[in-house]
Amino acid sequence: MEQLICRDVSLGYEGNAIISGLNFSIGSGDYLCIVGENGSGKSTLMKTLLGLIPPLSGEIVRGGGLCANEIGYLPQQTAIQRDFPASVTEIVLSGFQAHCGMRPFYNKEEKRTALENMERLGITDLAKRCYRELSGGQQQRVLLARALCATTKLLLLDEPVAGLDPMVTADMYALIDSLNKEGVTIIMISHDICAAVKYASHILHIGDVLFFGTKQEYLRSDVSKYFSGECVKR
Amino acid sequence: MSEITEKLFMYLELPFVRYAVIVGVLIALCSSLLGVTLVLKRFSFIGDGLSHVAFGAMAVASVLNVSNDMVIVLPVTVVSAILLLSGGRKAKIKGDAAIAMISVGALAFGYLLMNIFSTSSNLSGDVCSTLFGSTSILTLTSKEVWLCVALSVAVVVIFLLFYNKIFAVTFDEDFSKAVGTKAQRYNFLLATVIAVIIVLAMNLVGSLLISALVIFPALSAMRIFRSFKAVTICSAVVSVICAFVGIIISILAGTPVGSTIVAADAVVFIIFYIAGMIRGGVQ
Ligand SMILES: Nc1ncnc2c1ncn2[C@@H]1O[C@H](COP(=O)(O)OP(=O)(O)OP(=O)(O)O)[C@@H](O)[C@H]1O
Ligand SMILES: [Mg+2]
């Protein structure tokens, strides 16, 4: 079943298109990897998919009974103020913000799931720490835990492993993969083409040439040749 | 010592003293709850900005010969607050720059209007009263006190009910929108509540005190505490205690109420600042 469909979408800022004529669709349970050079518009595409930026033309349709509050999101950069007082637990719990509807407080179940997600990412011991005093990689893991709390059907990740050490990176990929196996649709932006080829079911290549297709189609296409180098040949 | 307490109890028997304590403490509580968000959103000076807007609106009202100028002042101020606050992160001009622009613009415009149409003989007196409060906190009527109590209860209830959403939207608006929170709605709600409280408090205690009540407790709490919840609770407690102590001291020592409360807040800030430095050094 199609969860997200892009029909002839162009996107950009203030009327200047960065990408135009984009057509693709993602079915539930897919694992889509978005690749492309710096500044090619990957993050912009993700924000457009999330409805944070309106598309300049074309339409993005949400299907398969997907509601906004079933989506999780890991931003590439967050403009979080340097002096914002927020503990790790508070931030992870805020992933549930759209689940509780008009209920003012988080329930036991949500608090437990938040703890589980923190455990999964190895940040349980940071629970009481202040977010702004963490290292970049630790902050990334906190935001990932928050994204995991938010998602039940679709998870959008903008460079999830940027800033993570190799151990955690491997764990991270395994975790995303297992979520995908549980039925969560994944849309991930990555510069790690090896991982993209290893885990993804579909690839969207953004740049001078647009490409969308399954991983096998991508590996056979010309687009992959000059972009992805050695991982693909193996 | 017993002499002082005796004097204190004697004063507390007086209704206007009780009114001042009630209103002062409640406004301190509300503004400190909202203050944390305002400081984090870079709107520390909103009280000051809005009072200038109110002054501009007052000038318009007097030029138009409107008898009850609140009819114009209240809506104009509330609308400016909403425009300032609900712009969110997308606003082209935001935070301090937007406030400065609106406040200086409204002040100049109001003064210009008043000068050209000069209906009032006491121009500088009018300007002064909008900055320091048109009524003194010691001359409140029981109607004003009840209005303040009702609004404060409403503010505290709204704040508690939406506490988690307010935190989430203030912390990361994009994420909130991405996961389906109606962030704009909460920005709007927050802006309305803040506007109403500021307009009310501006008339009761003056905009100088409002700015101080918004800024000091939040900044003091942020010196020591590192989580949103702790900062919010601490700033509310600090604000209430300072307002209470400030009013009592001002009554006993005969000092101006507003300035005494601000002084108490400033002293606490210095103490917390030093405590934060010591704690930061130990860790
Ligand atoms: N807020 C903005 N306003 C205007 N232009 C922007 C804005 N943000 C990004 N851009 C421009 O849009 C283009 C695409 O940016 P985007 O962040 O989507 O790139 P990206 O593919 O995610 O790059 P990276 O791999 O570095 O993350 C860039 O040329 C950038 O200059
Ligand atoms: Mg990017």
Side-chain angles (χ1 to χ4, degrees):
Chain A
M1 214 174 5
E2 306 301 332
Q3 272 186 341
L4 266 181
I5 307 164
C6 275
R7 288 202 198 101
D8 205 23
V9 169
S10 29
L11 44 92
Y13 297 93
E14 284 139 34
N16 303 319
I18 299 170
I19 307 173
S20 44
L22 192 62
N23 278 297
F24 68 92
S25 65
I26 306 151
S28 76
D30 282 358
Y31 191 143
L32 173 72
C33 226
I34 305 176
V35 296
E37 292 160 32
N38 287 143
S40 54
K42 303 180 297 297
S43 300
T44 310
L45 169 63
M46 192 165 269
K47 286 180 194 158
T48 312
L49 290 178
L50 286 163
L52 299 176
I53 310 173
L56 299 177
S57 67
E59 57 171 355
I60 295 168
V61 188
R62 239 188 250 147
L66 181 69
C67 296
N69 67 4
E70 294 165 331
I71 298 176
Y73 173 47
L74 174 78
Q76 181 174 22
Q77 284 156 348
T78 15
I80 289 161
Q81 295 142 16
R82 250 175 37 77
D83 57 349
F84 204 109
S87 73
V88 168
T89 316
E90 284 176 318
I91 294 170
V92 174
L93 265 175
S94 77
F96 289 112
Q97 58 182 283
H99 291 207
C100 37
M102 289 313 281
R103 173 161 46 87
F105 303 108
Y106 301 117
N107 62 24
K108 280 221 175 66
E109 171 75 24
E110 286 164 343
K111 285 181 183 152
R112 215 198 55 227
T113 317
L115 277 180
E116 273 170 25
N117 285 331
M118 283 160 65
E119 208 153 301
R120 271 173 158 180
L121 290 163
I123 49 171
T124 319
D125 51 331
L126 303 177
K128 293 244 167 350
R129 290 279 298 278
C130 174
Y131 177 78
R132 63 167 194 261
E133 289 166 356
L134 301 180
S135 78
Q138 289 171 328
Q139 291 186 346
Q140 182 82 346
R141 287 193 245 172
V142 173
L143 297 186
L144 262 168
R146 177 181 71 166
L148 294 184
C149 288
T151 188
T152 47
K153 284 193 180 164
L154 175 61
L155 185 57
L156 288 94
L157 304 165
D158 197 340
E159 303 195 15
V161 296
L164 299 185
D165 62 54
M167 282 281 286
V168 182
T169 301
D171 287 352
M172 197 56 231
Y173 281 130
L175 173 62
I176 297 171
D177 198 43
S178 72
L179 282 171
N180 182 242
K181 297 240 159 65
E182 287 165 27
V184 178
T185 313
I186 309 283
I187 302 179
M188 177 169 90
I189 294 175
S190 180
H191 289 293
D192 183 354
I193 196 78
C194 303
V197 168
K198 186 169 166 203
Y199 294 106
S201 65
H202 294 72
I203 304 250
L204 174 65
H205 182 112
I206 292 179
D208 299 331
V209 243
L210 293 176
F211 174 89
F212 173 74
T214 61
K215 176 170 69 183
Q216 289 74 20
E217 287 166 347
Y218 180 71
L219 291 178
R220 266 182 266 119
S221 74
D222 297 337
V223 195
S224 68
K225 298 245 162 56
Y226 59 86
F227 184 70
S228 38
E230 52 197 79
C231 287
V232 178
K233 292 195 192 89
R234 259 188 263 138
Chain B
M1 190 65 208
S2 68
E3 213 172 290
I4 295 176
T5 38
E6 214 168 272
K7 200 171 161 195
L8 189 63
F9 278 112
M10 192 188 80
Y11 276 119
L12 282 175
E13 306 255 293
L14 303 170
F16 76 89
V17 173
R18 281 207 304 266
Y19 289 169
V21 170
I22 293 171
V23 168
V25 164
L26 285 179
I27 288 182
L29 175 66
C30 292
S31 52
S32 66
L33 286 182
L34 300 170
V36 180
T37 318
L38 284 175
V39 167
L40 290 172
K41 282 182 164 235
R42 298 291 177 270
F43 282 107
S44 310
F45 240 43
I46 192 155
D48 228 48
L50 288 182
S51 71
H52 293 176
V53 172
F55 170 75
M58 237 174 257
V60 173
S62 71
V63 165
L64 295 176
N65 253 327
V66 182
S67 55
N68 181 3
D69 58 8
M70 265 297 137
V71 180
I72 292 188
V73 174
L74 199 68
V76 167
T77 321
V78 171
V79 167
S80 331
I82 291 172
L83 285 181
L84 279 174
L85 287 164
S86 62
R89 296 232 332 262
K90 288 251 165 58
K92 285 269 139 50
I93 304 171
K94 55 189 167 191
D96 56 346
I99 290 176
M101 215 173 70
I102 286 202
S103 90
V104 173
L107 193 61
F109 184 73
Y111 196 68
L112 196 66
L113 270 185
M114 283 197 156
N115 245 312
I116 295 172
F117 297 96
S118 170
T119 47
S120 162
S121 52
N122 181 15
L123 198 53
S124 50
D126 285 353
V127 179
C128 216
S129 76
T130 59
L131 294 182
F132 295 100
S134 48
T135 49
S136 159
I137 194 168
L138 293 175
T139 58
L140 298 166
T141 64
S142 68
K143 212 173 90 188
E144 286 168 326
V145 175
W146 279 115
L147 177 69
C148 184
V149 169
L151 277 172
S152 307
V153 170
V155 168
V156 171
V157 168
I158 288 177
F159 186 83
L160 287 180
L161 284 182
F162 295 107
Y163 166 81
N164 281 317
K165 298 284 198 304
I166 290 174
F167 166 74
V169 173
T170 317
F171 180 69
D172 190 348
E173 197 175 317
D174 272 356
F175 179 81
S176 293
K177 283 184 185 154
V179 299
T181 304
K182 304 267 181 296
Q184 207 49 35
R185 218 185 271 174
Y186 291 104
N187 275 334
F188 196 77
L189 174 81
L190 205 59
T192 315
V193 171
I194 287 167
V196 170
I197 261 308
I198 284 178
V199 170
L200 174 88
M202 210 163 65
N203 278 295
L204 298 182
V205 298
S207 71
L208 188 71
L209 182 54
I210 276 302
S211 291
L213 288 179
V214 163
I215 304 165
F216 275 118
L219 285 184
S220 303
M222 279 159 67
R223 284 311 106 204
I224 295 204
F225 291 101
R226 294 284 184 266
S227 79
F228 193 74
K229 196 177 188 177
V231 165
T232 306
I233 294 172
C234 172
S235 97
V237 170
V238 163
S239 187
V240 164
I241 291 176
C242 284
F244 185 76
V245 170
I247 293 173
I248 298 297
I249 290 178
S250 79
I251 289 167
L252 292 179
T255 50
V257 184
S259 322
T260 314
I261 298 179
V262 177
D265 275 312
V267 168
V268 170
F269 175 75
I270 292 171
I271 295 171
F272 275 41
Y273 187 88
I274 293 169
M277 265 188 344
I278 294 169
R279 203 175 123 155
V282 169
Q283 269 177 0

